[in-house]
Amino acid sequence: MPMTITEKILAAHAGKEAVSPGELINSELDLILANDITAPIAIKEFMKIGAKSVFNKNKVALVPDHFVPQKDIKAAEQCKLLREFSTDQELSLYFEVGRMGVEHALLPEQGLVLPGDVIIGADSHTCTYGALGAFSTGVGSTDVASAMATGYLWFKVPESMKFIYHGKLNKWVGGKDLILHTIGDIGVDGALYCAMEFEGEVIRALPMHGRLTMCNMAIEAGGKSGIVVPDDITKEYVTKRAKREFRFYTSDKDAKYAAVKEYDCSKIEPTVACPHLPSNTKPAKELTNISIDQVVVGSCTNGRLEDLREAASVIKGRKVNPNIRMIVIPATQEIYKNAMKEGLLEIFIDSEAVVSTPTCGPCLGGYMGILAKGERAIATTNRNFVGRMGHTESEVYLSNPAVAAASAVLGRIGLPEELGIPNK
Amino acid sequence: MLIKGKSWKFGRDIDTDAIIPARYLNTSDPAELAAHVMEDADKDFYKKLSHGDLIVAEENFGCGSSREHAPIAIKAAGLSAVLAKSYARIFYRNAFNIGLPIFESSEAVDGIKEGDVVEIDADTGIIKNHATGAEFKAKPIPPFMQELINSGGLIEWTRKKLKIA
């Protein structure tokens, strides 16, 4: 029976020859993830189960990243729960401040999520790891509790939707623009319950950081997962990081898809999602009258080294507009260190942006850059719901790092070319 | 199980940040979360609602984050159920896992106005609007979810699976 990559990975983990969409399976798990927001409930529920220990102390990753360094006493209490549980259970994958990073940037970087894996995380952006050719999806805390005890979780095998990107990318267009354009096309529930499979010559040429950005936002279209069939780019990325075996799966030629969408990338420009949904997209050039108060470059979507390089290349030798603030958040300690070595941090500081320690912070309105009533931000993050970054009467626009950096200089939404940066 | 209460209507794409804003996620205490339920969609919602009331919403209820705090806040606020045209998948799983009754029916959502008293028979999925007398049928709950409910939720189901008495 012809199968998609997603069906093959799930079949292999359910001990079956084949699976088809709609089928309920009990899948073995390669990694289980939770953070300082979701793990406290998972730990409490795990205790209720009464299991003595987690199924495998090397397959449960606890990453405090949302409100750390601990933003207040309550957040500190939650983090303490994670630390104590990790010590009690002798978890090898607990990441204290100083070793942590934004979870979905950290785990791929550390080679802890690999092609062919089935991964769950109590965080909706767990779908990020599909970029490596894994099946990876967000679940709730109780699901994580059950999974920590058993090493398994039930899934309905999702239907797959195929998204094909043709042509060549325009300047300043990357993974973020492709996924925003796609969500703008299909809507925030356009891929509800589906596996979104990204392919085409543009994806085959897209660097890993762009693939991670695209799969990261599959959830913003309602997707259960995002996935890219692994190739040489995947191999190059994982080989130097993996500490265990991995397997490449592909989709069969005649595999069934619930829908196929095709995009001509020559028509996709730098794209911005306007308040208050990620699907409310417009080309950035149509929004140059929108003034802003804050710029955020960071998050599990666009806080990787390549994202910082892109932002730095635009802002180098320029100043953040005196009316606004720019906050740059390298997503992991390794990214922070490399950004320092490459001189990117100096570029940001010279341009009068601030550079923060890794944290999810402002992306979910936690801390480290909260918006006042009536304030407006452009951010490289993933959600722009009402009140997402602060006051319910504040606004968030989502963009790629280059547009965010150009906007920081301009004091309004704008493009690098407006700063005299050539488009070639 | 019979559920009966006054309905509060919401639009489509009600996200988990609207159900329970992240600024309150430095706790997982159900009572604290309940006090902020739906705050960013309707500032005074918690003050207005009465025990047993229902949320009635359009498509894609609970989209966004995976926070289980969302169904927990709804349940702990004393709301008896959610009825929507469709659900985001993580919210759907979470609701079953924590024992918040949720139902799916486009016709019922269209046939209910804010303030209507609605009665749902959780076993048969029959939804009655007492204000109009109209009757609707919720989409059947998938057999496995029914098994979870019958076991008393995912945690009890897991205990059985691991043979923990």
Side-chain angles (χ1 to χ4, degrees):
Chain A
M1 190 176 80
M3 287 192 286
T4 66
I5 177 170
T6 300
E7 289 153 13
K8 285 184 191 174
I9 295 172
L10 288 175
H13 284 74
K16 294 186 165 207
E17 285 284 309
V19 295
S20 35
E23 187 177 338
L24 219 65
I25 57 159
N26 205 21
S27 170
E28 207 177 332
L29 303 170
D30 296 295
L31 195 78
I32 299 165
L33 163 74
N35 57 50
D36 52 318
I37 304 277
T38 57
I41 297 177
I43 292 167
K44 203 161 66 189
E45 295 302 314
F46 177 82
M47 296 303 180
K48 282 188 199 162
I49 294 170
K52 284 194 184 66
S53 58
V54 300
F55 84 104
N56 183 330
K57 63 184 181 180
N58 301 317
K59 290 188 175 183
V60 176
L62 295 187
V63 186
D65 59 355
H66 279 56
F67 292 162
V68 300
Q70 288 73 344
K71 80 178 182 91
D72 56 27
I73 296 169
K74 284 182 177 176
E77 298 289 348
Q78 299 210 110
C79 292
K80 193 167 159 233
L81 270 177
L82 269 66
R83 191 169 60 241
E84 287 172 352
F85 182 77
S86 302
T87 306
D88 289 349
Q89 293 288 328
E90 300 172 336
L91 301 186
S92 63
L93 302 176
Y94 167 69
F95 295 88
E96 188 52 89
V97 171
R99 291 174 279 274
M100 56 68 75
V102 174
E103 51 197 344
H104 308 307
L106 182 72
L107 299 190
E109 170 197 284
Q110 298 295 317
L112 297 169
V113 286
L114 294 171
D117 281 358
V118 171
I119 304 141
I120 62 156
D123 187 279
S124 61
H125 294 110
T126 304
C127 51
T128 308
Y129 318 133
L132 302 166
F135 174 82
S136 186
T137 192
V139 297
S141 297
T142 300
D143 276 324
V144 159
S146 172
M148 285 199 297
T150 62
Y152 283 83
L153 192 65
W154 69 271
F155 297 109
K156 192 164 83 177
V157 176
E159 288 188 306
S160 290
M161 284 174 82
K162 194 190 276 195
F163 298 85
I164 309 173
Y165 300 85
H166 299 286
K168 228 181 127 210
L169 290 180
N170 288 313
K171 182 70 181 165
W172 304 117
V173 171
K176 183 62 162 288
D177 306 282
L178 296 181
I179 192 66
L180 285 176
H181 182 85
T182 305
I183 298 165
D185 178 41
I186 66 173
V188 289
D189 60 354
L192 198 59
Y193 293 88
C194 288
M196 300 175 77
E197 191 174 321
F198 303 112
E199 68 144 76
E201 66 257 32
V202 168
I203 302 300
R204 283 193 291 277
L206 193 66
M208 186 50 73
H209 72 275
R211 297 179 182 186
L212 288 161
T213 302
M214 289 189 77
C215 291
N216 173 273
M217 289 191 72
I219 179 70
E220 311 314 335
K224 183 170 196 158
S225 57
I227 199 160
V228 176
V229 170
D231 57 11
D232 286 345
I233 290 175
T234 322
K235 198 168 162 191
E236 217 244 302
Y237 185 88
V238 296
T239 307
K240 57 189 174 208
R241 294 176 164 87
K243 291 164 201 87
R244 58 182 167 87
E245 281 181 32
F246 53 85
R247 190 170 160 189
F248 280 17
Y249 291 88
T250 61
S251 289
D252 291 324
K253 270 204 174 65
D254 38 4
K256 281 201 181 70
Y257 292 87
V260 179
K261 293 264 176 189
E262 300 191 50
Y263 299 101
D264 173 0
C265 292
S266 70
K267 292 184 181 140
I268 300 177
E269 297 177 76
T271 302
V272 171
C274 304
H276 288 287
L277 282 176
S279 56
N280 194 10
T281 55
K282 284 196 174 125
K285 68 175 186 202
E286 290 177 20
L287 298 165
T288 53
N289 61 334
I290 305 285
S291 66
I292 50 171
D293 303 284
Q294 175 169 301
V295 175
V296 176
V297 174
S299 85
C300 58
T301 312
N302 283 118
R304 296 182 186 82
L305 187 62
E306 295 83 353
D307 300 315
L308 301 190
R309 281 183 192 142
E310 185 179 303
S313 76
V314 171
I315 209 155
K316 188 177 182 179
R318 299 180 172 87
K319 295 280 185 205
V320 172
N321 187 287
N323 298 319
I324 69 164
R325 52 190 187 266
M326 178 174 180
I327 301 161
V328 180
I329 312 176
T332 67
Q333 289 287 90
E334 189 176 307
I335 295 167
Y336 197 109
K337 190 169 137 187
N338 287 328
M340 186 177 69
K341 280 190 191 162
E342 288 187 16
L344 306 180
L345 301 190
E346 200 172 335
I347 291 171
F348 292 125
I349 292 167
D350 283 347
S351 69
E352 296 171 352
V354 293
V355 181
S356 160
T357 189
T359 180
C360 302
C363 171
L364 76 162
Y367 72 127
M368 199 65 85
I370 300 303
L371 300 174
K373 181 177 177 177
E375 283 194 323
R376 199 179 279 142
I378 188 162
T380 66
T381 57
N382 43 55
R383 288 193 179 128
N384 55 353
F385 301 147
V386 171
R388 175 75 178 176
M389 201 176 276
H391 197 279
T392 49
E393 287 173 47
S394 63
E395 291 183 338
V396 180
Y397 287 73
L398 307 173
S399 78
N400 72 32
V403 170
S407 305
V409 176
L410 294 161
R412 57 164 173 82
I413 294 179
L415 289 151
E417 64 203 51
E418 296 183 67
L419 303 173
I421 301 171
N423 253 354
K424 287 288 160 201
Chain B
M1 187 177 64
L2 218 56
I3 292 161
K4 191 175 168 186
K6 196 165 74 219
S7 39
W8 295 94
K9 287 207 78 169
F10 291 90
R12 60 165 296 145
D13 305 321
I14 295 294
D15 59 81
T16 53
D17 281 278
I19 299 170
I20 181 73
R23 57 185 176 275
Y24 303 120
L25 297 187
N26 55 2
T27 179
S28 55
D29 176 48
E32 273 190 67
L33 296 170
H36 303 289
V37 68
M38 303 301 280
E39 189 173 293
D40 284 2
D42 179 350
K43 204 164 156 281
D44 298 316
F45 186 64
Y46 183 67
K47 286 182 212 152
K48 293 192 291 194
L49 66 87
S50 309
H51 195 87
D53 287 357
L54 291 90
I55 288 175
V56 179
E58 301 282 322
E59 296 89 350
N60 202 26
F61 186 83
C63 63
S65 110
S66 69
R67 62 190 71 158
E68 210 160 282
H69 312 64
I72 289 173
I74 293 172
K75 195 180 171 196
L79 291 155
S80 59
V82 181
L83 168 66
K85 289 187 178 173
S86 64
Y87 294 90
R89 60 162 281 277
I90 308 178
F91 182 90
Y92 186 84
R93 275 185 94 105
N94 286 347
F96 279 94
N97 286 346
I98 69 138
L100 170 72
I102 60 171
F103 304 91
E104 225 177 306
S105 166
S106 293
E107 298 75 25
V109 172
D110 287 337
I112 294 168
K113 288 199 301 295
E114 177 137 316
D116 288 356
V117 172
V118 171
E119 187 180 302
I120 305 176
D121 183 333
D123 302 320
T124 61
I126 302 286
I127 304 163
K128 276 187 208 158
N129 185 347
H130 282 266
T132 62
E135 226 177 84
F136 311 94
K137 181 114 172 66
K139 218 166 124 179
I141 293 168
F144 177 73
M145 308 305 272
Q146 196 61 57
E147 188 190 320
L148 277 186
I149 296 168
N150 296 344
S151 308
L154 181 65
I155 293 301
E156 284 305 316
W157 182 85
T158 307
R159 282 170 63 87
K160 270 182 209 159
K161 220 173 160 68
L162 292 174
K163 299 192 170 62
I164 299 172

